[in-house]
């Protein structure tokens, strides 16, 4: 299953076309806080083989948002406003009424499974050139609020 996630992540990052559905709210409490599974201040220590945990990423700061032609929100987020450890995910934007905004906090339940570079095309679509080439941990989102 992990290999499938890695393949999907590579395809997604390479051509920006992974399609999945994320619900706006979730009531399951089966996802432990990310800080119990990973040292979020030292994520570079983890290889892709170390990743793959289903976690809650609680109240992280949105650093950048872009939208694609399918109304999906692509967001980059960090644990603190000053952090340079980036996380990246795609949310199905037409499934909720709440717009994700830069500087606001987001809580995500999902699987952290791969470290990828943010490509120039992604940066040009709304993230801004300051994110081009940065490493980000890809999160396959199950739910968010």
């Amino acid at each position: 299953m992990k290999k499938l996630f890695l393949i999907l992540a590579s395809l997604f990052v390479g051509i920006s076309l992974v399609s999945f559905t994320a619900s706006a709210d979730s009531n399951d409490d089966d996802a432990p806080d990310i800080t119990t599974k990973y040292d979020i201040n030292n994520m570079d220590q983890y290889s892709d083989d170390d990743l793959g945990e289903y976690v809650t990423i609680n109240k992280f700061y949105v650093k950048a948002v872009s939208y694609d032609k399918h109304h999906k929100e692509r967001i980059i987020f960090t644990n603190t406003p000053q952090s340079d450890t980036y996380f990246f995910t795609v949310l199905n934007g037409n499934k909720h009424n709440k717009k994700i905004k830069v500087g606001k906090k987001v809580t995500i339940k999902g699987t952290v499974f791969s470290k990828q570079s943010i490509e120039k095309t992604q940066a040009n679509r709304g993230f801004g050139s300051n994110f081009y080439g940065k490493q980000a941990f890809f999160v396959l989102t199950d739910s968010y609020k």
Side-chain angles (χ1 to χ4, degrees), residues 1-93:
M1 184 98 173
K2 187 183 244 184
K3 284 210 180 272
L4 175 63
F5 281 113
L6 292 175
I7 290 168
L8 287 175
S10 296
L11 284 173
F12 173 77
V13 171
I15 59 176
S16 296
L17 288 176
V18 165
S19 179
F20 61 90
T21 303
S23 63
D25 293 303
S26 177
N27 291 328
D28 3 319
D29 293 325
D30 59 347
D33 190 277
I34 190 171
T35 59
T36 66
K37 297 293 183 177
Y38 301 110
D39 178 359
I40 58 173
N41 295 313
N42 190 18
M43 288 295 289
D44 287 336
Q45 70 179 307
Y46 302 110
S47 70
D48 287 348
D49 291 336
D50 297 323
L51 302 174
E53 295 288 335
Y54 184 70
V55 295
T56 298
I57 301 169
N58 194 28
K59 297 181 180 177
F60 275 37
Y61 292 86
V62 176
K63 300 292 274 189
V65 179
S66 72
Y67 298 90
D68 67 16
K69 63 183 177 183
H70 304 289
H71 306 288
K72 294 187 186 299
E73 295 168 299
R74 301 167 190 278
I75 65 170
I76 296 173
F77 52 102
T78 60
N79 63 317
T80 68
Q82 299 79 21
S83 177
D84 61 357
T85 299
Y86 300 106
F87 294 84
F88 172 81
T89 196
V90 178
L91 306 173
N92 196 349

